[in-house]
Amino acid sequence: MSKVKCDLLGRLTQEELDSAIDFVECFHCGVTAMELMRVGAALDVCGDEFCSDICSGERVFTAIALCRSCHCKNHQEEKNYRFS
C-alpha cells in the first residue's frame, strides 16, 4: 500500500478489499500489477463513488485497484468534491 492517507479504505468491507485486489491493473490508467512490480511498486485499493443520497449526503463506494499516481489523483478529486 502507498503512503496516501486513504479514509475511503476504511469504508470498505474485507470482501470488497479482497475483490479489488483480484484486479491485475489500475482501474483508471490500466497499468498492470506486473509492470508495477518491475519498478518495486504495487496496486493500492481505494474506493470509487458508486452513488450518493442527495437528501442525506451519504455516499456509497465500491473497491477499486489503483496505481499510486491514480490513487493520489483520486484523493485530489475527492477533496475537490462539492455538493451543488
Side-chain angles (χ1 to χ4, degrees), residues 3 12 17 21 39 45 49 76 78-79 83-84:
K3 295 180 182 179
L12 303 173
L17 292 172
I21 291 170
V39 295
V45 177
E49 186 171 348
Q76 287 172 347
E78 171 74 16
K79 289 177 185 173
F83 285 102
S84 299

Side-chain angles (χ1 to χ4, degrees), residues 12-70:
L12 303 173
T13 66
Q14 187 62 47
E15 184 178 319
E16 291 171 320
L17 292 172
D18 292 342
S19 176
I21 291 170
D22 288 341
F23 290 105
V24 295
E25 64 183 35
C26 176
F27 182 78
H28 288 295
C29 73
V31 66
T32 67
M34 189 63 75
E35 291 171 315
L36 290 171
M37 285 187 342
R38 289 185 192 127
V39 295
L43 290 170
D44 294 338
V45 177
C46 192
D48 188 44
E49 186 171 348
F50 176 68
C51 63
S52 62
D53 184 314
I54 295 172
C55 296
S56 71
E58 182 180 351
R59 297 160 66 192
V60 177
F61 294 90
T62 56
I64 56 172
L66 297 171
C67 68
R68 284 190 186 141
S69 177
C70 290

